[in-house]
Amino acid sequence: MTGFSETEERQALRAAVSDLGRRYGGDWFLKRARAGEKSTELWDEAGKLGYLGVNVPEEYGGGGGNIGDLAAVAEELSAQGCGLLLMVVSPAICATIISRFGTDAQKQEWLPRFADGSLRMAFAITEPDAGSNSHKITTTARRDGDDWVLNGRKVFISGVDEAAAVLVVGRTEDARTGKLKPALFIVPTDTPGLEYQPIEMDIVSPDKQFMLFLDDVRLPADALVGSQDAALLQLFAGLNPERIMAASFAIGMGRYALDKAVDYVKSRQVWSTPIGAHQGVAHPLAEAKIQLELAKVMTQKAAALYDAGDDMGAGEAANMAKYAAAEASIKAVDTAVQVHGGNGLTAEYGLGALVSAARVNRIAPVSREMILNFVAQNTLGLPKSY
């Protein structure tokens, strides 16, 4: 991205991904979700076309692009009503961390499969008793000879049933101080002692949420990603892309809802003119468009900072982008439902399912309140409130 203009390559990528998403579309996606089925065909085709691996280095079969490219893919699929939630996790968090900090052997084993989409890797940080406080994570890893042994629980872990492995955030004991510090481990989902169970959610989505149980999960020494002493840096190197991707996912969702609303109000007539001619209908849609565009600019700024290697600047911008995108998506979906009237909550128009889905954007992967805490403390320099 140069200034406020995306490169021709990025624009071409957007157009190609949009065409792919349009071939599947929101109706297909919702039918799959309501039937309890997966969006596997779309994921596989996107992977074969190289869209899921645009940020993986070329030497491992990827596109050699950056997080801005991957965010564009996520946004365009979401804008066609078939957003792939695991893009926020697998190629964004997991592939980024392994690409930046993994050993040569880890890169050789995992990155080519990220590149072609044949691998899905889940990410497990949230715990039942820790919530947003990652300092209270109780999943621990202890040494046993050359092996690691993990014990703990995780909650709201997306896509474990589709994943070949989970990147688990645990804690290890510092031999010098006795204090626990974060560490990242790749845990194949067929490892003995790893179990998971679904969480019932009132959200229409092919992507499920899970509780994860680690009971004396034994791992080889090379399951540890990067340095045991640098895990916090590694962790945030993955969380900034997560926020950028979550923002892109939300913006795409808002675009999808807004496009449906605009099409509807152009053709729906109650009196002698389309209802879109009335300012009471047109102005809320215009406001939703403005909010989406503002959120998109901040998301692109966050991606540009991250791709330039400015992790601190990217952290601030990524949090702001995720906040803005969540609010914009909720506004767009709510407005789209409203201008449809009763039709907005019928299965035929497919907007009702977006109400709860958009609301998630305000909660996950980081809540609005925690973003406000971050900005208050780190941008405004206010005293820590917790």
Side-chain angles (χ1 to χ4, degrees):
M1 182 173 175
T2 304
F4 290 100
S5 299
E6 289 188 319
T7 63
E8 291 184 4
E9 291 82 359
R10 176 82 60 78
Q11 293 177 40
L13 174 64
R14 283 186 179 276
V17 173
S18 182
D19 287 342
L20 171 64
R22 194 175 295 111
R23 283 199 283 109
Y24 287 86
D27 291 341
W28 172 85
F29 189 83
L30 269 180
K31 286 178 182 177
R32 285 301 177 93
R34 286 177 172 140
E37 298 173 352
K38 302 294 185 181
S39 51
T40 306
E41 296 96 324
L42 175 56
W43 179 280
D44 289 345
E45 186 169 357
K48 289 176 183 176
L49 291 170
Y51 300 149
L52 303 182
V54 292
N55 63 319
V56 175
E58 290 185 42
E59 63 187 291
Y60 298 102
N66 50 42
I67 199 63
D69 296 322
L70 190 66
V73 173
E75 181 188 336
E76 294 305 324
L77 289 176
S78 189
Q80 295 302 324
C82 46
L84 297 175
L85 178 61
L86 282 184
M87 281 194 68
V88 178
V89 177
S90 188
I93 304 176
C94 301
T96 296
I97 289 175
I98 292 173
S99 179
R100 286 185 63 173
F101 300 105
T103 64
D104 289 341
Q106 288 169 341
K107 292 176 183 179
Q108 291 289 349
E109 180 177 1
W110 300 106
L111 290 183
R113 296 159 65 192
F114 281 117
D116 64 13
S118 60
L119 169 71
R120 295 172 183 80
M121 184 178 289
F123 178 71
I125 181 171
T126 307
E127 294 188 359
D129 298 324
S132 298
N133 188 355
S134 57
H135 297 289
K136 293 187 70 174
I137 285 176
T138 58
T139 296
T140 56
R142 61 176 175 83
R143 281 284 196 182
D144 186 14
D146 291 333
D147 293 344
W148 292 98
V149 178
L150 268 64
N151 283 280
R153 291 187 301 160
K154 300 290 183 179
V155 69
F156 295 120
I157 309 306
S158 303
V160 182
D161 57 333
E162 301 177 76
V166 184
L167 184 60
V168 175
V169 181
R171 302 180 75 184
T172 61
E173 184 176 329
D174 189 318
R176 293 164 298 175
T177 65
K179 294 183 178 179
L180 294 175
K181 54 187 179 180
L184 305 175
F185 298 89
I186 300 174
V187 184
T189 50
D190 60 358
T191 305
L194 175 66
E195 296 183 2
Y196 54 89
Q197 64 183 40
I199 301 170
E200 291 290 332
M201 304 289 290
D202 283 336
I203 300 170
V204 182
S205 173
D207 301 293
K208 306 305 179 185
Q209 302 296 312
F210 294 88
M211 285 280 295
L212 197 64
F213 304 92
L214 301 110
D215 185 12
D216 286 337
V217 173
R218 183 171 292 273
L219 301 169
D222 60 5
L224 176 71
V225 178
S227 168
Q228 182 179 339
D229 297 320
L232 194 59
L233 173 65
Q234 296 165 190
L235 178 60
F236 284 106
L239 293 183
N240 284 338
E242 176 192 48
R243 284 148 175 68
I244 293 167
M245 291 291 287
S248 298
F249 188 89
I251 291 165
M253 184 184 297
R255 285 174 52 194
Y256 177 69
L258 187 60
D259 286 347
K260 290 176 77 73
V262 169
D263 287 344
Y264 184 80
V265 303
K266 283 180 177 179
S267 60
R268 173 68 167 161
Q269 290 194 17
V270 177
W271 285 279
S272 59
T273 186
I275 62 174
H278 304 305
Q279 291 177 351
V281 173
H283 284 185
L285 293 173
E287 289 174 358
K289 173 63 174 177
I290 290 169
Q291 289 185 17
L292 286 169
E293 288 300 318
L294 291 172
K296 186 171 181 175
V297 170
M298 181 54 79
T299 303
Q300 290 175 320
K301 175 183 178 179
L305 289 171
Y306 184 84
D307 293 331
D310 184 357
D311 285 339
M312 290 300 293
E316 178 185 66
N319 275 288
M320 291 181 176
K322 191 271 175 185
Y323 180 99
E327 299 305 308
S329 68
I330 291 172
K331 166 73 173 178
V333 169
D334 185 67
T335 303
V337 170
Q338 191 69 21
V339 301
H340 276 76
N343 286 331
L345 294 176
T346 63
E348 176 185 357
Y349 286 87
L351 287 170
L354 291 181
V355 174
S356 58
R359 191 61 178 75
V360 172
N361 295 330
R362 194 182 272 169
I363 300 170
V366 59
S367 72
R368 174 176 61 176
E369 290 71 25
M370 289 305 295
I371 291 177
L372 292 174
N373 283 335
F374 179 93
V375 172
Q377 292 160 207
N378 294 280
T379 303
L380 302 179
L382 298 177
K384 191 170 184 178
S385 59
Y386 61 95

